[in-house]
Amino acid sequence: MTIHAQHQPGPQAPDARPALPTRVRVLVVGTGFAGLGTAIRLRQEGERDFAVLERGATVGGTWRDNSYPGCACDVPSHLYSFSFAPNPHWSRAFSPQPEIKAYLERTAEQFGVLPHVHFGTELLAARYDDVAAVWRVETSRGVVTAEVLVLGSGGLSEPSIPSLPGLERFEGTTFHSATWDHEHDLTGRRVAVIGTGASAIQFVPHVQQRAARLTLFQRTAPWVMPRRDRAITALERRLFTAVPALQKLNRAGIYVGRESWLIGFAVKPRLMAIAERIARLHLRRQVPDPVLRDRLTPRFRLGCKRVLLSNDYYPALSQPNAEVVTDPILEVTADAVVTRAPDGRRLEHPVDTIIFGTGFQVSDPPIAARVYGPDGRSLKQEWVENGMAALHGITMAGFPNLFLLVGPNTGLGHTSIVYMIEAQIAYVLGALAQMPVLGVASVAPRRDVQDAWNADLQEQLAGTVWNAGGCSSWYLDSNGRNTTLWPTFTLPYRRTLSRFDVTQYETTPVRVRSAA
Ligand code: NAP
């Protein structure tokens, strides 16, 4: 079995890379939208005493790693970008991955943050030293001491590959959508795709066109809506360049349009029946075969899982070289995926390539196992015992001076995560600005405040389509608790985060640090 390497080391020889600082005020982890955005805003606020760790060779986070064919954003680009770095040149309503990756690279360069970034440098363990009120961060290139640690490591960074019995015996090639093996030519191959989520529906049409045979293993049929993508005309681009206010207006319009989905998702899930009708019509128009159509018909309320957008997924599955298998996978052999038919028979599906579109470790982020609070307990232990939770999805009781971006209950099912990230960065900057003014060396949220915040969130989530829509999704943890999504409109979140309220925090005075 060949598995594509996950993270390439930096292109430069280790000694050619700038030395890692031994001490900084702020240490940022990751260079996706979250880490880069933090670095840019720090610089804009005049902060220079910071460093950014990046285990890969270039910036871009999930938009660097996910290079599978057909990868694109299903949130319009004019909203899925930094408000402080508008791009009038987006070529399409929903930009393809290379364009988003190039945007992040260009923005990092333009705002001068690259000299702060240490590529090929992975956080191995971060331990809080409460005597000195600092984080001691062990990396693959040495130790950095930081007063504040900002994790922008993201929820979609660790691929999830199911432990299928026999997978290690498979003699063909396997890879995950996030680590696409571009060297592996799919022409004429018999390819298995496992998973039918947002990633799979984007690459399945590409695979179907090249492979001799595509066998798609579907556990749950997703809802698929028409994808209203279009090229942005040269005139529009010229107008956005000449009149930036027009682009802002366009962005605001997209924002309002996307927020209106919340009425169905969270306020009146029954309204989703209207969208379901559109999606069913889409399915009927694109899949003439009633047996296949039945297999592809979702059996839960639309919105419970992420709503997928595609115009070429259903047509690809209707081609003679494609098959959709809904029987459960029993095992993998040297050259086949084996399923169990409804009558109990073993059915072998011969394949030479297996592509996993099986998503990411979202509700159990591996970074949590690498971060240890003052009492030596890891964030993972804390979350295993008390559930994944944070105050505002950013700070965690018992973990001083730790800020997690896109943390618990700040994911979105309807609009741009970049909007949430910017709100969170503003909150972190607020804390950083207040701490010296207040003479505070460390801040960690009060447990009672954090608990009240989460109790309120869970109450709001109870009736939403994500919790009550009749599906099982990674939005919910193993106890059925929704620890991933923000329950309501995004504006109130931004408002709440516009001010860092130190009364919600336990603090230690600066003298603790100077005494150390
Ligand atoms: P995903 O949404 O988690 O989908 C994973 C798929 O794999 C699901 O169909 C799941 O089936 C299936 N699966 C998982 N384990 C399996 C197993 N053991 N056996 C059979 N099937 C299994 O992952 P994703 O498609 O990579 O998307 C992840 C997230 O990335 C999205 O929700 C979205 O936030 C983001 N994304 C965004 C875009 C965009 O355009 N902005 C594009 C791609 C991805 P079940 O449904 O039965 O669990």
Side-chain angles (χ1 to χ4, degrees):
M1 178 172 74
T2 320
I3 294 200
H4 188 81
Q6 208 182 93
H7 289 281
Q8 309 297 326
Q12 303 151 303
D15 47 29
R17 288 179 286 184
L20 201 61
T22 51
R23 183 171 180 124
V24 287
R25 180 173 185 225
V26 187
L27 187 65
V28 180
V29 179
T31 62
F33 271 100
L36 269 189
T38 306
I40 292 169
R41 293 289 298 115
L42 280 170
R43 262 193 81 88
Q44 286 180 329
E45 293 301 310
E47 180 65 67
R48 294 292 180 271
D49 189 7
F50 73 93
V52 184
L53 306 183
E54 170 51 62
R55 65 183 174 180
T58 56
V59 302
T62 199
W63 292 104
R64 172 202 59 209
D65 293 343
N66 284 269
S67 62
Y68 59 79
C71 184
C73 188
D74 55 16
V75 176
S77 302
H78 282 291
L79 184 60
Y80 197 89
S81 42
F82 292 123
S83 63
F84 52 79
N87 172 21
H89 309 294
W90 292 117
S91 70
R92 305 198 64 81
F94 300 114
S95 291
Q97 171 263 345
E99 222 173 297
I100 302 172
K101 179 171 166 275
Y103 165 78
L104 286 170
E105 288 169 352
R106 207 169 52 239
T107 306
E109 175 102 54
Q110 183 189 338
F111 286 87
V113 295
L114 288 177
H116 295 268
V117 182
H118 298 269
F119 291 105
T121 310
E122 180 168 354
L123 182 150
L124 301 176
R127 294 188 171 79
Y128 191 71
D129 172 345
D130 63 342
V131 177
V134 290
W135 284 95
R136 312 271 184 210
V137 181
E138 195 188 315
T139 80
S140 52
R141 291 178 59 223
V143 176
V144 187
T145 296
E147 291 167 26
V148 169
L149 182 59
V150 182
L151 300 177
S153 33
L156 304 178
S157 54
E158 296 293 341
S160 164
I161 296 185
S163 46
L164 301 174
L167 184 57
E168 69 291 345
R169 286 195 310 249
F170 185 63
E171 287 173 2
T173 298
T174 75
F175 52 90
H176 186 275
S177 56
T179 55
W180 194 270
D181 186 347
H182 292 279
E183 302 296 306
H184 184 67
D185 186 2
L186 293 173
T187 313
R189 305 260 184 195
R190 292 166 306 166
V191 182
V193 170
I194 301 178
T196 53
S199 303
I201 71 144
Q202 293 184 335
F203 67 74
V204 154
H206 167 94
V207 174
Q208 179 274 321
Q209 277 169 23
R210 279 151 193 83
R213 182 140 198 85
L214 160 69
T215 312
L216 176 64
F217 294 89
Q218 170 189 276
R219 193 164 65 179
T220 312
W223 284 104
V224 181
M225 298 279 279
R227 188 163 191 264
R228 308 216 182 279
D229 192 16
R230 68 174 183 92
I232 296 175
T233 64
L235 175 67
E236 284 173 288
R237 285 188 253 165
R238 274 204 301 278
L239 277 172
F240 288 149
T241 309
V243 192
L246 264 186
Q247 192 180 354
K248 270 198 184 146
L249 198 66
N250 180 266
R251 182 180 164 100
I254 299 169
Y255 174 76
V256 172
R258 303 295 295 203
E259 285 296 281
S260 66
W261 273 90
L262 237 296
I263 298 168
F265 281 123
V267 185
K268 285 232 176 301
R270 268 179 303 157
L271 284 178
M272 291 318 232
I274 302 168
E276 284 176 10
R277 245 177 264 147
I278 299 170
R280 273 208 200 90
L281 186 65
H282 188 49
L283 175 62
R284 216 168 33 244
R285 280 197 181 137
Q286 295 200 316
V287 180
D289 173 7
V291 176
L292 178 60
R293 203 160 60 216
D294 184 58
R295 278 187 196 169
L296 295 173
T297 301
R299 317 266 184 231
F300 57 89
R301 180 110 282 182
L302 182 143
C304 184
K305 285 171 183 276
R306 193 180 175 94
V307 182
L308 311 184
L309 309 178
S310 178
N311 298 336
D312 53 3
Y313 177 67
Y314 287 149
L317 298 180
S318 301
Q319 298 308 307
N321 68 335
E323 184 188 4
V324 177
V325 175
T326 53
D327 296 337
I329 298 173
L330 275 182
E331 61 167 332
V332 177
T333 64
D335 56 2
V337 175
V338 183
T339 55
R340 192 183 56 237
D343 61 6
R345 268 179 316 132
R346 277 169 57 90
L347 278 182
E348 286 210 1
H349 307 269
V351 294
D352 51 50
T353 304
I354 302 177
I355 307 177
F356 291 100
T358 43
F360 299 85
Q361 298 175 36
V362 180
S363 53
D364 180 19
I367 189 91
R370 299 183 179 196
V371 176
Y372 298 85
D375 54 4
R377 284 169 78 244
S378 71
L379 187 55
K380 183 182 169 100
Q381 273 171 285
E382 160 72 20
W383 282 349
V384 167
E385 283 160 31
N386 298 321
M388 190 163 113
L391 174 61
H392 308 312
I394 304 177
T395 49
M396 279 71 53
F399 292 82
N401 290 1
L402 178 67
F403 296 87
L404 174 63
L405 304 180
V406 200
N409 290 104
T410 63
L412 298 171
H414 69 292
T415 189
S416 170
I417 194 68
V418 183
Y419 182 88
M420 297 295 266
I421 288 173
E422 283 195 40
Q424 295 173 354
I425 295 170
Y427 187 77
V428 176
L429 293 183
L432 287 172
Q434 279 196 41
M435 286 168 69
V437 175
L438 299 171
V440 157
S442 76
V443 291
R446 282 167 35 201
R447 179 78 63 179
D448 61 323
V449 177
Q450 180 176 310
D451 289 348
W453 167 264
N454 283 288
D456 182 47
L457 277 187
Q458 292 305 322
E459 202 173 301
Q460 291 187 62
L461 281 162
T464 63
V465 71
W466 307 299
N467 281 36
C471 73
S472 74
S473 74
W474 54 259
Y475 293 156
L476 310 180
D477 69 10
S478 52
N479 301 317
R481 200 164 150 270
N482 191 329
T483 55
T484 50
L485 287 189
W486 174 245
T488 182
F489 298 97
T490 56
L491 193 61
Y493 183 71
R494 196 175 187 119
R495 283 228 185 91
T496 305
L497 265 60
S498 62
R499 183 173 149 261
F500 179 81
D501 179 1
V502 78
T503 64
Q504 297 183 319
Y505 283 78
E506 284 171 2
T507 61
T508 57
V510 163
R511 63 182 162 70
V512 172
R513 178 181 297 137
S514 47

